[in-house]
Amino acid sequence: MKTSWRTASLVASAAAVLALTTACGQDAPPPPVSQNVGATAAAGNAGDAGGGDRAGGGQAAASPADTAGELNVSTNAELGKVVTDNLGLTLYRFDQDTAKPPKSNCEDDCAKTWPPVPADDASAGEGIDEALLGEVTRADGTKQLTVDGWPAYRYVKDVNAGDAKGQGVGGKWFAFTPEGKKAQGAERTGLSTRQDPELGEIVVDGNGMTVYRFMKDEAWPKPVSACTGACLEKWPVVAPVDFADTKGIQKKGYMTFTRPDGAAQQTIDCWPIYTFAGDKAAGDTNGQGVGGTWYAVRPDGKPVGAPEK
């Protein structure tokens, strides 16, 4: 790669992410949501980021971890245009990383599931703006490719050219667009409502999946999630969604907060919200009433059918 972008990456601005201070219960609208809010904390053991068995088993037959080659633009039937390496493997970005300045928070086990793309021999093919390519020095001293500042990865379960099994894993991993943004599947993350024949009006995400509340969480004086560790494999958090990308949702108490693992999570009426891995298709409500603690969410943040305290 050329010296121009490599030098630029080393002098990237060290802009700090402002902490969200909107108090719960206030009428004032929250500040606009940044894509990397709360993303500076270490990813720890979030390497699979809830990926689990989502994409099926098996690792790539031949590891391309030591090369990237010429990057290209491929068209995915579901995601649109995405960035691929010289073998046609999809490249991803991680929401818990930062782009300004570039920093990878995927280490250890995480990096085994999401191998960092080396920067040394990467070059811009047709449809890729070379000015967007850069590099970041990882904790182990190796150079990792960045696209528009975001560290680039492959997914170990993508075996064939064109696979994009890592898209949306854990609500944190997304294929790159040629502009370095999240692929189409990530941009359709707005919140809206639908009329369920049994539960009434409930909140759904951009894919039509039912949104839930956990009765062991807290909302005041600040949001606190009691769903951690293995719980998140079944109940992925809803990542931040700008209020402008919602329809029918109450504005009061609509805010994000930073979880202990560094990820940012959306709330409605200050209550943390989730989806359910057991819901396989839009319209499913298999999470309703699970364990007597999980309930679908109304537009005002109230749980549907939860027992009165």
Side-chain angles (χ1 to χ4, degrees), residues 1-2 5-6 9 65-69 71 116-123 133-138 142-146 152 154:
M1 289 181 289
K2 296 183 179 179
W5 66 255
R6 184 171 295 175
S9 69
D66 58 347
T67 184
L71 306 185
V117 178
D120 295 338
D121 73 333
S123 62
L133 303 185
E135 67 181 27
V136 61
T137 301
R138 295 178 54 80
T142 59
K143 304 292 186 181
Q144 181 176 1
L145 174 69
T146 62
R154 301 183 182 90

Side-chain angles (χ1 to χ4, degrees), residues 212-237:
Y212 298 89
R213 255 186 58 179
F214 186 30
M215 301 305 291
K216 295 183 179 181
D217 285 349
E218 298 177 14
W220 294 278
K222 61 181 182 179
V224 177
S225 170
C227 181
T228 59
C231 173
L232 294 175
E233 297 180 9
K234 293 183 178 180
W235 303 93
V237 304

Side-chain angles (χ1 to χ4, degrees), residues 164-189:
K165 297 174 181 177
Q167 174 70 9
V169 167
K172 303 174 185 178
W173 293 91
F174 301 101
F176 274 110
T177 69
E179 298 75 29
K181 307 302 182 184
K182 298 179 183 180
Q184 176 182 330
E187 299 302 328
R188 294 184 289 106
T189 53

Side-chain angles (χ1 to χ4, degrees), residues 13-204:
S13 168
V17 179
L18 295 178
L20 180 60
T21 56
T22 304
C24 286
Q26 291 185 349
D27 292 323
V33 175
S34 170
Q35 283 187 331
N36 63 339
V37 171
T40 55
N45 62 357
D48 196 27
D53 296 328
R54 176 185 182 276
Q59 298 187 4
S63 172
D66 58 347
T67 184
E70 184 178 78
L71 306 185
N72 294 289
V73 177
S74 298
T75 300
N76 181 282
E78 295 182 359
L79 306 179
K81 293 183 177 180
V82 298
V83 177
T84 58
D85 66 9
N86 62 327
L87 297 180
L89 295 175
T90 303
L91 302 190
Y92 299 88
R93 48 179 279 180
F94 183 31
D95 276 357
Q96 288 183 213
D97 287 347
T98 59
K100 298 181 180 180
K103 185 179 187 300
S104 170
N105 286 313
C106 179
E107 305 286 349
D108 303 323
D109 288 344
C110 173
K112 295 178 183 178
T113 302
W114 301 91
V117 178
D120 295 338
D121 73 333
S123 62
E126 185 176 355
I128 305 292
D129 184 353
E130 186 174 7
L132 293 179
L133 303 185
E135 67 181 27
V136 61
T137 301
R138 295 178 54 80
D140 61 5
T142 59
K143 304 292 186 181
Q144 181 176 1
L145 174 69
T146 62
V147 181
D148 195 28
W150 290 95
Y153 307 83
R154 301 183 182 90
Y155 185 43
V156 75
K157 293 181 180 179
D158 284 350
V159 177
N160 302 309
D163 284 351
K165 297 174 181 177
Q167 174 70 9
V169 167
K172 303 174 185 178
W173 293 91
F174 301 101
F176 274 110
T177 69
E179 298 75 29
K181 307 302 182 184
K182 298 179 183 180
Q184 176 182 330
E187 299 302 328
R188 294 184 289 106
T189 53
L191 297 174
S192 59
T193 66
R194 74 171 183 86
Q195 194 68 31
D196 184 87
E198 296 183 1
L199 304 179
E201 189 179 18
I202 59 175
V203 178
V204 295

